[in-house]
């Protein structure tokens, strides 16, 4: 009760502080007015927020986010109910059930004090406005595809590649294709039990671990009688009896196993090392050293008896050197040899569930495969995941713990990751022991441990609420002379693991701009202080369940707002405890070694018939003095049949504007023909309506005169015009009319890249008339 009262008092102070901050933005004349009322204040603050696009909406219970945004001048558009959404199995993250409890707590926050009334008024004033900041615990509540580009959302789409157990298991296998890193160095090997191939790979791994565990038993059994220096695990209070070996003097009460068991285990390990060196490529199946199915089954059953203390190897010291040498080779190629331990324990998880639901620890392969096989066919699609359990974790006062580490992704292209400097430890309520595989001992999730009572035999030095801050953990390490381990091993290793995982997932996530997301990663430390990534949670819980989470969860949310809101305005603003972990450098396009090729110009119509070469053409006289002879040719437009005389058509081409500006044609230089100076000519500008009416009249009258528009633009007529200059006749050329229409419609710049000479050659020898009319050669 005292803790909850502190939280409520803190929220009340936040609300009061936000009210004071909001009043600072009010004009002084309004403050000094005796008629000051909350509606005027709310109206002015709301207008300012709308102008600055500071409208936000929150789905669920997030009082820290609400108070932080209000202090910055944001106005909330409230939703009094949450839409019913079917939760997505793929993107289900930790903290989802807390939303249901939070809906009932939402009404408590409204009654924090009278200062909240002004926020109710402001919320009603913006009920028709579009929120520019959306915060929700479950991404399925909001369809991010329907959002505009300037709306901020605290979720990304398609993050199942690293926020689900099966997605993380599969995606990290392709890590070597992205970075030069081995996922086996920070992620315990994992298999999906949904396909037969995955089951086979898991079975092979389980059997290899059986063989190496037998070798470890032989080596550790011989070292049991020797006095070894006190290690870190003993300093930390590790009194686990799981690694205690049974001396040979008690062999009279146990079943003795022959040394053949060690020989078979050594043969299996040598075959494993040979495959890694590709020595089995040129060997036949008969010559291979692989064990048969019966040999594996017999080896596994004897291993169960040996590990559970029901048997021992009488002459194990004879194999000490051989087993030690093989273990050294295996350790050099398998970085997870240390965490494998002796018990061969595997943790079986539902692929898409969180908060420790339905997770069990098993050390018999038959039980693991049977657990998956007993599921009904529809449930098999949920995909079980089996992961190697870390049998040698770092213990604090003989108790297991894990680390919750936050990180923030603000962009996926380029990839931008922010790492939080503070984290917290979660302890188990029970003492650690491998003799008991109860999940209460081996799972440190707060959703599981909060329902259990602390073991009476547990150390009183541990906190009663089972949480430490990372600062307290560093103090603990400092007292034992290992204070430098956090900054040199633990913290940088966690950063590398997060960076590598996000690089792999980058291609699978929907990289929506103006979105961000806060994630919670869970790590377990090995006995050598090396962190191992277990899983990554979307929507990590922010519930103030303990004094540690009440402090850190509120702090990380406020710092998140600083990064995603304040930093948009000021790049040098305070970002709290966040530090920029990774920002992908801009990808520069490689220089193009070839020529800089480009195409310029405009498209022209291709002539239906090739124009014959023109020779012996006399350009001595002006162009408009040429009077080519008339020649009948096939019609230029096949759909236009001969029509009435051309005077009927010319009368229809009436002009709207009689004032036609003169157009001076440029002087063109020709090779051997000398210099051509085309005369100044004028031609009338036709609008679109005139052209349309003229063409329509020509089409309607096409059956009247078979000789209309039947003059070919080129061929011998132009050559004849060069030899004889006959008197002009009346009669329009269809090609010249087309040229005239286009020039009139599109203006003199109809063909900006085409000169007059090219236009005349294109459409024939139809010259322009001096006074806006046309002259044509006679018959």
């Amino acid at each position: 009760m005292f803790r909850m009262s502190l939280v409520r008092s803190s929220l009340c102070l936040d609300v009061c502080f936000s009210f004071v901050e909001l009043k600072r933005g009010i004009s002084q004349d309004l403050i000094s007015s005796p008629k000051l009322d909350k509606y005027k204040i709310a109206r002015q603050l709301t207008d300012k927020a709308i102008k600055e696009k500071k409208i936000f909406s929150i789905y669920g219970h997030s009082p820290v986010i609400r108070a932080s945004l209000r202090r910055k001048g944001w106005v909330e558009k409230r939703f009094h109910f949450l839409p019913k959404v079917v939760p997505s199995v793929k993107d289900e993250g930790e903290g989802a059930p807390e939303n249901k409890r939070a809906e009932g707590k939402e009404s408590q926050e409204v009654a924090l004090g009278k200062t909240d009334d002004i926020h109710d008024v402001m919320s009603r004033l913006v009920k028709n406005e579009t929120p520019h900041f959306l915060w929700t615990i479950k991404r399925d509540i909001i369809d991010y595809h329907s959002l505009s580009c300037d709306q901020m959302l605290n979720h990304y789409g398609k993050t199942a590649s690293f926020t689900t157990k099966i997605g993380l298991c599969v995606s990290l296998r392709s890590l070597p294709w992205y970075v030069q890193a081995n996922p086996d160095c920070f992620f315990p090997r994992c298999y999906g039990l949904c396909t037969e191939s995955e089951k086979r790979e898991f079975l092979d791994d389980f059997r290899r671990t059986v063989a190496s565990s037998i070798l470890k038993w032989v080596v550790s059994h011989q070292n049991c009688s020797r006095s070894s220096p006190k290690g870190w695990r003993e300093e930390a209070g590790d009194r686990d009896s799981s690694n205690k070996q049974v001396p040979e003097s008690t062999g009279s009460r146990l079943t003795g196993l022959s040394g053949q068991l060690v020989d078979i285990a050594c043969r299996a390990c040598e075959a494993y090392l040979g495959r890694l060196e590709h020595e089995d490529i040129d060997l036949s199946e008969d010559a291979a050293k692989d064990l048969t199915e019966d040999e594996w089954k017999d080896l596994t059953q004897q291993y169960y008896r040996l590990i559970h203390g029901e048997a021992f190897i009488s002459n194990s010291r004879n194999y000490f050197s051989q087993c030690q040498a093989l273990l050294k080779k295996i350790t050099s190629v398998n970085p997870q040899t240390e965490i494998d331990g002796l018990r061969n324990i595997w943790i079986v998880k539902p692929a898409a569930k969180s908060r420790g639901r339905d997770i069990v620890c098993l050390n018999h392969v038959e039980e693991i495969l049977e657990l998956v096989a007993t599921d009904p066919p529809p449930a098999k699609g949920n995909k079980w995941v089996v992961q190697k359990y870390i049998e040698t974790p770092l213990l604090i006062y003989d108790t297991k713990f894990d680390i919750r580490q936050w990180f923030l992704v603000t962009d996926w292209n380029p990839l931008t990751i922010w790492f939080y400097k503070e984290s917290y430890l979660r302890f188990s309520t029970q003492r650690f022991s491998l003799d008991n595989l109860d999940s209460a001992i081996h799972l440190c999730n707060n959703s599981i441990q909060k329902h259990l009572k602390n073991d009476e035999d547990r150390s009183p030095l541990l906190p009663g609420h089972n949480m430490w801050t990372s600062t307290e953990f560093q103090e603990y390490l400092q007292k034992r002379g290992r204070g430098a381990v956090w900054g040199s091993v633990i913290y940088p290793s966690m950063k590398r693991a997060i960076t590598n995982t996000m690089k792999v997932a980058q291609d699978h996530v929907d990289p929506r701009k103006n979105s961000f997301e806060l994630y919670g990663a869970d790590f377990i430390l090995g006995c050598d202080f090396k962190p191992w990534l277990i899983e990554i949670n979307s929507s990590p819980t922010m519930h103030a369940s303990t004094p540690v989470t009440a402090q850190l969860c509120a702090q990380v949310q406020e710092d998140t707002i600083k990064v995603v809101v304040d930093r948009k305005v000021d790049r040098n603003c305070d970002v709290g405890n966040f530090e920029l972990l990774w920002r992908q450098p801009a990808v520069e396009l490689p220089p193009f070694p070839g020529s800089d090729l480009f195409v310029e110009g405009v498209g022209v119509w291709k002539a239906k018939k090739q124009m014959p070469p023109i020779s012996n053409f006399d350009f001595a006289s002006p162009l408009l003095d040429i009077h080519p002879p008339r020649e009948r040719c096939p019609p230029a437009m096949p759909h236009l049949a001969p029509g009435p005389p051309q005077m009927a058509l010319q009368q229809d081409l009436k002009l709207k504007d009689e004032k036609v500006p003169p157009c001076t044609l440029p002087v063109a230089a020709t090779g051997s023909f000398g210099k051509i100076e085309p005369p100044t000519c004028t031609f009338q500008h036709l609008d679109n309506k005139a052209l349309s009416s003229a063409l329509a009249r020509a089409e309607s009258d096409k059956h009247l005169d078979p000789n209309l528009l039947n003059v070919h633009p080129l061929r011998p007529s132009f050559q004849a015009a060069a030899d004889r200059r006959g008197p002009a006749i009346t009669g329009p050329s269809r090609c010249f009319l087309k040229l005239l229409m286009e020039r009139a419609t599109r203006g003199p710049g109809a063909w900006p890249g085409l000169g007059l000479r090219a236009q005349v050659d294109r459409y024939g020898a139809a010259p322009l008339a001096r006074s806006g009319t046309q002259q044509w050669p006679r018959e």
Side-chain angles (χ1 to χ4, degrees), residues 343-357:
R343 301 297 186 97
N344 203 2
I345 301 174
W346 293 75
I347 183 167
V348 186
K349 317 173 185 179
K353 290 185 179 182
S354 59
R355 301 178 306 280
R357 292 175 294 175

Side-chain angles (χ1 to χ4, degrees), residues 181-187 335-336 530-532:
N182 185 6
D184 291 338
C185 293
F186 64 90
F187 183 69
Q336 298 187 15
K530 186 177 181 180
W532 293 90

Side-chain angles (χ1 to χ4, degrees), residues 152-445:
M152 299 181 65
L153 179 64
N154 68 321
H155 286 292
Y156 288 101
K158 301 179 181 179
T159 60
S161 59
F162 66 95
T163 57
T164 60
K165 298 175 180 62
I166 186 63
L168 189 63
C169 170
V170 175
S171 61
L172 282 180
R173 296 176 184 175
S174 58
L175 178 63
W177 295 99
Y178 294 86
V179 293
Q180 294 182 354
N182 185 6
D184 291 338
C185 293
F186 64 90
F187 183 69
R189 56 192 185 275
C190 183
Y191 301 94
L193 300 180
C194 54
T195 61
E196 293 299 327
S197 59
E198 289 280 305
K199 290 181 182 179
R200 186 65 204 181
E201 291 182 10
F202 160 67
L203 181 59
D204 294 341
D205 194 336
F206 186 91
R207 288 173 172 177
R208 288 195 302 266
T209 309
V210 165
S212 61
S213 297
I214 294 176
L215 271 60
K216 289 181 181 180
W217 188 95
V218 173
V219 174
S220 61
H221 185 71
Q222 294 302 318
N223 292 333
C224 181
S225 58
R226 304 175 185 177
S227 59
S228 57
K230 196 173 184 180
W232 165 255
R233 288 170 58 88
E234 296 176 357
E235 291 180 5
D238 178 20
R239 298 183 299 271
D240 178 30
S241 61
S242 61
N243 292 324
K244 294 181 180 180
Q245 305 301 324
V246 180
E248 288 189 33
S249 58
T250 61
S252 58
R253 294 173 295 172
L254 302 175
T255 303
L257 302 177
S258 65
Q260 186 179 4
L261 176 65
V262 182
D263 292 332
I264 297 177
C266 291
R267 197 176 78 182
C269 293
E270 291 174 354
Y272 165 67
L273 294 173
R275 283 192 296 270
L276 294 180
E277 297 294 333
H278 306 290
E279 296 177 357
D280 59 332
I281 295 179
D282 298 329
L283 296 178
S284 61
E285 296 183 0
D286 297 336
K289 299 180 180 180
D290 292 339
L291 274 64
T292 62
E293 191 69 21
D294 294 336
E295 288 178 328
W296 273 120
K297 290 181 179 180
D298 183 64
L299 181 69
T300 303
Q301 294 301 322
Q302 294 188 56
Y303 162 76
Y304 289 155
R305 298 170 60 191
L306 179 68
I307 293 301
H308 293 297
E310 300 174 0
F312 74 101
I313 302 174
S314 57
N315 55 347
S316 59
R317 69 167 52 92
N318 298 334
Y319 300 92
F320 175 78
S321 299
Q322 182 183 3
C323 293
Q324 191 177 40
L326 280 176
L327 283 176
K328 186 177 181 179
K329 292 181 180 179
I330 294 176
T331 304
S332 63
V333 296
N334 182 14
Q336 298 187 15
T337 305
E338 178 64 28
I339 68 172
D340 285 347
L342 295 175
R343 301 297 186 97
N344 203 2
I345 301 174
W346 293 75
I347 183 167
V348 186
K349 317 173 185 179
K353 290 185 179 182
S354 59
R355 301 178 306 280
R357 292 175 294 175
D358 300 334
I359 295 180
V360 293
C361 295
L362 300 172
N363 58 356
H364 284 67
V365 66
E366 299 83 6
E367 297 177 357
I368 297 175
L369 297 179
E370 182 181 0
L371 175 65
V372 181
T374 54
D375 281 347
K380 289 183 179 180
N382 293 333
K383 301 178 181 179
W384 286 90
V385 169
V386 58
Q387 188 175 35
K388 186 64 186 71
Y389 180 76
I390 300 176
E391 300 184 24
T392 57
L394 180 67
L395 303 178
I396 297 180
Y397 301 124
D398 198 24
T399 306
K400 183 182 177 182
F401 67 95
D402 66 1
I403 301 177
R404 166 58 59 88
Q405 176 66 55
W406 291 299
F407 66 96
L408 175 68
V409 177
T410 56
D411 201 347
W412 286 97
N413 187 21
L415 179 60
T416 307
I417 309 173
W418 297 81
F419 200 79
Y420 205 65
K421 298 177 183 179
E422 292 288 338
S423 55
Y424 64 93
L425 281 64
R426 303 178 298 186
F427 290 95
S428 173
T429 56
Q430 313 296 316
R431 293 180 57 190
F432 180 77
S433 174
L434 294 179
D435 295 330
N436 186 357
L437 299 183
D438 188 3
S439 58
I441 300 175
H442 304 283
L443 298 182
C444 301
N445 302 59

Side-chain angles (χ1 to χ4, degrees), residues 408-632:
L408 175 68
V409 177
T410 56
D411 201 347
W412 286 97
N413 187 21
L415 179 60
T416 307
I417 309 173
W418 297 81
F419 200 79
Y420 205 65
K421 298 177 183 179
E422 292 288 338
S423 55
Y424 64 93
L425 281 64
R426 303 178 298 186
F427 290 95
S428 173
T429 56
Q430 313 296 316
R431 293 180 57 190
F432 180 77
S433 174
L434 294 179
D435 295 330
N436 186 357
L437 299 183
D438 188 3
S439 58
I441 300 175
H442 304 283
L443 298 182
C444 301
N445 302 59
N446 184 59
S447 57
I448 294 178
Q449 298 296 334
K450 67 182 180 182
H451 300 294
L452 304 174
K453 293 182 179 180
N454 294 336
D455 190 1
E456 296 179 356
D457 296 335
R458 209 180 65 150
S459 174
L461 299 176
L462 292 173
H465 51 74
N466 297 320
M467 285 190 184
W468 268 2
T469 63
S470 57
T471 303
E472 293 176 301
F473 179 52
Q474 295 177 54
E475 294 175 356
Y476 169 82
L477 295 174
Q478 188 70 34
K479 292 178 180 179
R480 281 154 179 77
R482 311 302 291 266
V485 173
W486 176 265
S488 61
V489 179
I490 302 175
Y491 192 70
S493 297
M494 290 192 299
K495 294 167 68 174
R496 282 194 300 269
I498 294 300
T499 304
N500 293 335
T501 305
M502 294 300 101
K503 288 180 180 179
V504 176
Q506 184 179 10
D507 293 340
H508 304 282
V509 180
D510 190 353
R512 180 185 181 272
K513 293 295 182 180
N514 221 13
S515 287
F516 63 94
E517 189 158 9
L518 181 68
Y519 301 99
D522 294 338
F523 289 91
I524 290 181
L525 301 183
C527 60
D528 56 352
F529 302 99
K530 186 177 181 180
W532 293 90
L533 176 63
I534 303 302
E535 62 182 6
I536 297 177
N537 300 278
S538 63
S539 302
T541 177
M542 293 294 169
H543 183 57
S545 57
T546 66
V548 173
T549 54
Q551 172 192 350
L552 293 183
C553 291
Q555 184 178 349
V556 71
Q557 292 179 82
E558 292 182 357
D559 293 344
T560 300
I561 296 300
K562 293 178 182 179
V563 174
V564 301
V565 175
D566 297 350
R567 199 170 179 273
K568 276 195 168 186
V569 181
D570 182 12
R571 286 289 182 179
N572 298 321
C573 69
D574 177 32
V575 293
N577 285 326
F578 275 110
E579 63 171 325
L580 184 60
L581 171 60
W582 173 261
R583 179 174 175 82
Q584 191 175 39
V587 180
E588 298 181 0
L589 296 177
F592 182 67
S595 303
D596 188 11
L597 304 177
F598 61 92
V599 178
E600 290 184 351
V602 295
V604 295
W605 296 338
K606 183 178 180 181
K608 291 187 176 181
K609 294 185 179 180
Q610 186 69 26
M611 184 183 70
I614 301 175
S615 60
N616 300 328
F617 200 92
D618 185 12
F619 287 92
S621 58
L623 181 63
L624 294 182
D625 292 337
I626 298 177
H627 306 286
R630 180 179 178 183
E631 180 180 358
R632 297 189 179 276

